[in-house]
Amino acid sequence: MASRYDLIRNVNGGSEHKIWRIKVRVIRLWRSSYFKDNNNKPMIELVVLDEQGGRIQCTVKSIHVYLFENSINEGNVYMLENLSVALNSGKYKPTMHEFRMFFKRETRVTLVEDSFIPLYGFSFVPFVEILNETKDDRRLVDVLGVVTRKGNLIEFKKEGKLCNYVVIELENIEGGLKLRCTLWEDYAFMFLKHLEDHPSKSYVVVLQFAKMTNFKGSVGVSNTTYNSKLFINANIPEIEDFQMRLKSSDSQQGIQFSQLSDHASLTLEEEFLERGVYKSIADLKEVTQNSVFVTIGTVKDIESEYNWCYRACKKCSLGLKLDGSMFYCKKCVTHYSTFVTRYSIQLRVVDETDSASFILFDKEASNFLKIPAYELRTSYIAKGGDKNRHPEEIDSFKDKKFLFKVQVKIQDMESIVPYVISISRLCFEDNIIASFEKKYQIEEVALIQDNSELLSQFTESSDLLKDNLSVSCDNGVDTPSPLLPTGKTASNMDSSVIKVLDVDLAEYCGNASFDTPSKCKGEMHSEQTIVRVAVHGDEQSAKKLRKVIKEEKN
């Protein structure tokens, strides 16, 4: 005997003549309009839930609203029959179902009683999954947590319209992770009014159908204009269960949340021990989407082949190009007679998994070196410093362990080194580093030293390398970045060699950062440059590269 109705998980676009019949609860209903005139009624959007937890979005188009607007209410259970099916391709997706459904003129709506279908149908996403999100994800998520910090209500004008928001911080129980949550407009006022009317030791919040956001490298969530639902200490099973677990946890005395500063950056502990998502250097090099992570490593070298400082626009901080006697900014489309000197230091960083080039910019470099770039440059020039080398003060980075908050930017997935890794925050406090290592169970691993012969060859070849590379911030020439040995291309090189280069050639990728004037171009012009790549690889890879070098000589 055929089922009396279909399950949401089975809904598909396969059969044009299929008459779909689903029994569902409306867990969210809102109206939206893409029209600016008053001749069209706003569409009705629904998220419905069936008895097995399946969720799908349904839409009543404007031309059909008058048929159904008095027949459907949020919270009720209905038998819906004869709906059409289309791909789920909206800007924000309240469900992960591949398809969505549309009401037709022939659609039938019948109110039914069914207590087996949940009232809310939450599908909570773990904080770690949200914080680890690396792509521009348009799905809407459900989050549950206890409020640990709260900001002030912020008012500002956008296009003449007054806007309001408040930022809160949510914490889960098991993992101790914290998530930034921004509440806009009515949701902000609802939250603040609840705090005023219902004082409590702790506030457990559910934000249903929240969108994921990325603000200054920090992933969080916020409400949408129409979709989201906010629950604060509500008498629902999910919040009551969370409160019970909260009482039995280490925070059994209750959490008294603190004030969240509106503009101050996160503390180092928050940045690296609470908020950040950790990846080893090897894992960073496998990332395929622009993303932000925290990592740990030791600086083993300063890559002097590249500028340690650059001429920056005093307005936007981007690199300036020498144009006659003036300096031109592409972003500002303006010529300037003066510039600001800023740090752009390329560090070779290693951990127990791999090595890579990280670009360190002005703010964090100045904080560590305790001297602005322009002062160091002036002092270095006054001492007669070699413009093809860096000041000895910069060597203070070498052989020191740091925590790094890094931004991985994908430039070209087809290139040998498709990414640029830039440092947005640096931590060199021993106690925080120790806590980080303990949290992620990172053990000290001795660096392999069996490439000493190759290392010495690289040292002897440093002058030759500098002849091939433009390095001074004063020479007014973009820095060429060698990619492949002369006469070799990615298509005709041995695949094992390409693999080694892909792992270890970040230092030569033309790590033109978001603000540096340098761009990636040119080819590798010396066998010593190839050898340096092998220094950072394993012994087997080094032997393969020596073989290539020998063949090149012959």
Side-chain angles (χ1 to χ4, degrees), residues 466-526:
K466 288 181 173 60
D467 289 338
N468 291 327
L469 298 174
S470 175
V471 298
S472 172
C473 70
D474 296 315
N475 58 17
V477 181
D478 286 349
T479 305
S481 300
L483 294 179
L484 291 172
T486 303
K488 293 283 185 179
T489 65
S491 60
N492 62 26
M493 284 189 72
D494 182 86
S495 60
S496 62
V497 176
I498 293 177
K499 181 178 180 182
V500 175
L501 292 174
D502 187 32
V503 171
D504 292 318
L505 201 55
E507 58 199 296
Y508 295 111
C509 74
N511 284 337
S513 71
F514 317 139
D515 350 3
T516 57
S518 302
K519 300 294 180 185
C520 176
K521 56 187 177 181
E523 292 186 344
M524 194 180 303
H525 295 293
S526 68

Side-chain angles (χ1 to χ4, degrees), residues 73-210:
N73 292 293
E74 185 173 306
N76 289 342
V77 177
Y78 299 94
M79 190 72 74
L80 305 179
E81 186 175 358
N82 198 4
L83 297 92
S84 63
V85 177
L87 288 173
N88 184 15
S89 57
K91 181 179 180 181
Y92 291 108
K93 300 180 180 181
T95 81
M96 292 303 293
H97 203 291
E98 182 182 0
F99 299 96
R100 60 189 295 182
M101 307 186 84
F102 286 87
F103 282 62
K104 303 188 294 185
R105 186 179 297 276
E106 300 79 16
T107 298
R108 292 200 307 175
V109 179
T110 305
L111 179 67
V112 297
E113 293 290 334
D114 192 321
S115 60
F116 293 101
I117 301 179
L119 287 174
Y120 305 106
F122 297 119
S123 180
F124 295 116
V125 177
F127 284 11
V128 66
E129 184 177 331
I130 296 173
L131 294 169
N132 202 28
E133 188 57 60
T134 60
K135 59 181 181 298
D136 186 16
D137 201 324
R138 295 293 182 172
R139 62 173 170 154
L140 300 182
V141 298
D142 301 345
V143 296
L144 167 67
V146 59
V147 179
T148 54
R149 294 203 295 173
K150 176 192 75 69
N152 295 319
L153 181 69
I154 303 298
E155 295 183 355
F156 67 97
K157 282 190 175 182
K158 182 178 181 181
E159 299 177 354
K161 181 182 177 182
L162 185 63
C163 301
N164 303 271
Y165 72 91
V166 64
V167 176
I168 63 176
E169 182 180 75
L170 302 178
E171 183 177 344
N172 61 8
I173 298 177
E174 291 79 6
L177 293 175
K178 295 182 179 180
L179 184 69
R180 182 185 182 93
C181 176
T182 305
L183 300 176
W184 291 88
E185 305 304 339
D186 291 344
Y187 296 84
F189 295 124
M190 183 191 308
F191 176 78
L192 295 175
K193 189 175 190 309
H194 184 95
L195 265 59
E196 181 179 346
D197 295 344
H198 305 282
S200 175
K201 288 184 177 180
S202 62
Y203 297 91
V204 177
V205 166
V206 169
L207 184 61
Q208 189 176 28
F209 305 122

Side-chain angles (χ1 to χ4, degrees), residues 208-409:
Q208 189 176 28
F209 305 122
K211 66 179 179 180
M212 288 183 273
T213 61
N214 192 317
F215 179 72
K216 295 183 178 180
S218 177
V219 179
V221 296
S222 72
N223 65 276
T224 62
T225 305
Y226 304 109
N227 315 69
S228 303
K229 291 183 72 173
L230 180 64
F231 302 83
I232 311 164
N233 283 356
N235 295 321
I236 59 177
E238 292 79 4
I239 286 183
E240 290 173 348
D241 176 67
F242 189 96
Q243 289 171 329
M244 290 296 294
R245 289 186 289 128
L246 188 64
K247 290 179 180 178
S248 62
S249 69
D250 294 337
S251 304
Q252 57 184 334
Q253 299 301 321
I255 295 180
Q256 192 74 33
F257 66 79
S258 59
Q259 186 69 19
L260 182 65
S261 173
D262 301 317
H263 302 290
S265 60
L266 299 175
T267 66
L268 290 172
E269 290 86 350
E270 292 169 334
E271 192 84 84
F272 291 100
L273 301 179
E274 299 175 10
R275 295 288 191 88
V277 176
Y278 166 67
K279 281 191 181 294
S280 67
I281 292 179
D283 290 336
L284 289 177
K285 295 166 81 168
E286 297 298 322
V287 170
T288 58
Q289 299 282 343
N290 293 348
S291 47
V292 176
F293 299 103
V294 295
T295 192
I296 185 171
T298 301
V299 176
K300 298 307 293 182
D301 197 9
I302 310 297
E303 298 183 334
S304 296
E305 305 95 308
Y306 300 96
N307 303 341
W308 64 271
C309 65
Y310 70 102
R311 291 183 291 247
C313 174
K314 53 190 176 183
K315 285 189 176 181
C316 69
S317 297
L318 293 185
L320 299 175
K321 183 178 180 181
L322 184 62
D323 186 9
S325 60
M326 302 288 285
F327 303 98
Y328 179 69
C329 177
K330 290 182 179 180
K331 182 176 181 179
C332 300
V333 195
T334 305
H335 283 85
Y336 298 100
S337 59
T338 59
F339 61 87
V340 178
T341 301
R342 292 185 178 273
Y343 287 113
S344 174
I345 305 171
Q346 292 209 182
L347 308 175
R348 190 69 191 181
V349 182
V350 300
D351 68 2
E352 71 277 9
T353 67
D354 209 335
S355 62
S357 290
F358 291 4
I359 304 176
L360 180 65
F361 290 115
D362 194 70
K363 180 181 177 181
E364 295 300 314
S366 298
N367 184 44
F368 178 78
L369 294 172
K370 306 301 182 185
I371 181 172
Y374 74 90
E375 286 188 16
L376 184 57
R377 178 176 174 272
T378 301
S379 172
Y380 187 59
I381 293 174
K383 295 176 183 178
D386 185 347
K387 68 178 184 179
N388 291 328
R389 299 185 182 277
H390 59 261
E392 61 181 10
E393 286 87 344
I394 293 179
D395 285 329
S396 58
F397 285 103
K398 292 178 66 173
D399 298 319
K400 187 170 182 61
K401 184 182 291 185
F402 296 92
L403 296 178
F404 305 92
K405 180 181 180 182
V406 296
Q407 192 165 25
V408 183
K409 184 176 182 181

